[in-house]
Amino acid sequence: MLKNIKPEIAYRLINHGPVVLITTSDKNGKPNIMTLAWLTVVNSEPPLIAIAMGKQAYSQKLIKKTKEFVVNIPDKKLIKKILYCGSHSGKNTNKFKNTLLTPIPSEKIIPPKIKECFAHIECKVINRYKFSDVTLFISKIIYADVEEKFFDEYLKTEKIKTIHHLGGGWFAETGKRFKL
């Protein structure tokens, strides 16, 4: 039997991409971290992704000014730090200091990568769209790296557990991968 659900929560059926940590910088190079679950692939050639964030997010203001950010992909071991970064604003808080996460230089842009994350995707914004109080940033991937032991052209989900937000405080982790 099918259950009717409100359109306002239908996103929870498809929202379980990995939770990531977005790093940004202000005009003086001061870094910030934001937890984000709203991201998607837009295209592979050229490599484009989209991230969406509300106007209340300090990171949204930074990205609008600098047009750069890093998608840092954490594993389940960082869950407490991920939750902290998602519940505190970076406007007056140094999340790197408070979480003991380590900023390391990016290859092509100013915002730093997070050393404790197993993969990083450096992005430059090429377009943005506003929907109500949310901005969707369409961004080109200009550099990416990943710990070799977790990637063989595909994510080794048996070896690394990414976190997936289901909505309303619920999360899941990756399981066994398979090929047909």
Side-chain angles (χ1 to χ4, degrees):
M1 174 178 268
L2 292 173
K3 173 185 175 180
N4 180 274
I5 62 173
K6 295 183 282 185
E8 293 79 14
I9 64 166
Y11 74 90
R12 294 180 182 172
L13 297 171
I14 58 172
N15 189 54
H16 48 281
V19 172
V20 299
L21 294 169
I22 300 292
T23 46
T24 55
S25 294
D26 68 12
K27 63 183 180 194
N28 299 315
K30 179 184 170 219
N32 185 50
I33 308 170
M34 175 189 171
T35 302
L36 184 79
W38 290 5
L39 73 156
T40 189
V41 173
V42 174
N43 196 37
S44 58
E45 290 293 327
L48 303 175
I49 64 169
I51 62 171
M53 59 182 69
K55 71 178 181 182
Q56 79 284 359
Y58 177 57
S59 291
Q60 187 196 89
K61 294 168 184 60
L62 296 177
I63 293 171
K64 281 181 177 179
K65 288 180 182 170
T66 66
K67 297 180 176 46
E68 296 181 337
F69 62 90
V70 180
V71 176
N72 299 273
I73 307 173
D75 69 344
K76 187 180 174 188
K77 291 180 266 186
L78 295 177
I79 188 68
K80 289 184 179 178
K81 296 174 189 224
I82 292 164
L83 293 174
Y84 177 87
C85 290
S87 61
H88 293 80
S89 172
K91 189 171 186 178
N92 301 309
T93 304
N94 183 334
K95 295 184 197 179
F96 275 104
K97 179 181 176 187
N98 294 350
T99 60
L100 302 177
L101 291 170
T102 311
I104 57 173
S106 290
E107 300 299 319
K108 307 262 183 188
I109 60 175
I110 293 171
K113 299 187 282 191
I114 298 173
K115 182 179 181 180
E116 291 79 6
C117 291
F118 73 91
H120 315 93
I121 302 171
E122 297 179 26
C123 299
K124 285 194 177 260
V125 176
I126 61 169
N127 215 331
R128 70 179 191 208
Y129 302 92
K130 187 173 183 197
F131 303 95
S132 184
D133 70 335
V134 173
T135 298
L136 179 74
F137 295 99
I138 307 296
S139 308
K140 185 172 185 179
I141 298 171
I142 58 167
Y143 183 84
D145 58 31
V146 62
E147 286 190 37
E148 188 175 357
K149 64 185 173 182
F150 300 131
F151 194 77
D152 61 1
E153 301 303 313
Y154 300 93
L155 192 61
K156 295 180 180 180
T157 57
E158 301 87 4
K159 294 189 175 195
I160 192 76
K161 298 296 178 192
T162 54
I163 303 159
H164 304 265
H165 187 237
L166 303 176
W170 285 89
F171 294 85
E173 64 182 41
T174 50
K176 185 176 180 181
R177 72 180 186 174
F178 60 92
K179 184 176 182 180
L180 298 179

